[in-house]
Amino acid sequence: GSGASRPAGVGGSRPAGVGGSHTAAKGAARGAAGRPITRYVTVTRYRTRTVTRTVTRTVPPDVPVGAFLPSRHAALALTSFSAAGGAIACVLGGGSVRCDVSGQSFTPPAQPASCTQAWGGALVLTNNRVSAPRAQFACGGTSAFSQSPAPLPSGHDDRVGQITCEVRSFGVNCFAADHRGFILSRTGYLVY
């Protein structure tokens, strides 16, 4: 170059406030040596991960004392029996059980509109979970009392196929191998 001098503000040194340090223009704090004071800020970041776990528990139903207790007697293989002084009669076979009760003091659930026959006096359980996932009240059908069932004393069990019925002081507890079932007495019922 020719070594010609440039006017102030073009190239070379710049006047204060033009270009240069932005911190000076913004009025940043400076130390004794004229250098900017550096401030450190600690930022804590938390990363959370949600884990969903499914815990399956088998909870026994709220049943009367004596239900599910094993019998001291070998299980019988009767296709029909009566219990509770003849107030309950059950018929087992074909992978199902039907128990009728007479003189009950409980109120059954409301009769569905699809049922136009006798309702509320019998419970039915099948061993087929797909077609009948739970025990249910029977709509009509042949009463177990019509089978002239033999009396089965309290403390005995009856098992036909995968269905077991326990006769206990409170009434009858009938259940399938997968623990679906019902309890029936003159004073109440439970479907589980």
Side-chain angles (χ1 to χ4, degrees):
S2 61
S5 63
R6 297 180 183 169
V10 178
S13 65
R14 297 180 189 165
V18 178
S21 169
H22 290 286
T23 54
K26 293 183 181 177
R30 295 187 172 270
R35 282 179 264 166
I37 297 174
T38 305
R39 293 191 178 136
Y40 295 96
V41 177
T42 303
V43 177
T44 305
R45 291 191 174 103
Y46 295 98
R47 181 174 276 173
T48 322
R49 188 175 82 178
T50 304
V51 177
T52 304
R53 291 188 179 138
T54 302
V55 178
T56 304
R57 292 186 183 131
T58 302
V59 179
D62 186 15
V63 298
V65 174
F68 301 109
L69 292 178
S71 174
R72 295 181 187 176
H73 312 284
L76 303 173
L78 303 174
T79 55
S80 66
F81 67 87
S82 67
I88 299 174
C90 298
V91 176
L92 291 90
S96 68
V97 59
R98 174 189 172 118
C99 290
D100 289 77
V101 61
S102 67
Q104 74 263 28
S105 60
F106 64 84
T107 303
Q111 184 170 349
S114 60
C115 179
T116 58
Q117 300 176 27
W119 174 261
L123 279 165
V124 176
L125 171 70
T126 67
N127 196 39
N128 189 339
R129 179 186 281 273
V130 176
S131 64
R134 299 184 70 194
Q136 56 192 352
F137 276 89
C139 178
T142 304
S143 171
F145 287 106
S146 67
Q147 303 292 317
S148 300
L152 192 61
S154 178
H156 286 73
D157 294 352
D158 188 21
R159 182 178 300 124
V160 175
Q162 297 294 310
I163 303 288
T164 302
C165 286
E166 300 176 334
V167 177
R168 299 295 184 261
S169 59
F170 57 80
V172 176
N173 177 26
C174 293
F175 54 92
D178 59 4
H179 304 293
R180 293 173 301 116
F182 65 84
I183 292 175
L184 183 62
S185 73
R186 292 182 72 176
T187 57
Y189 70 93
L190 172 70
V191 172
Y192 60 87

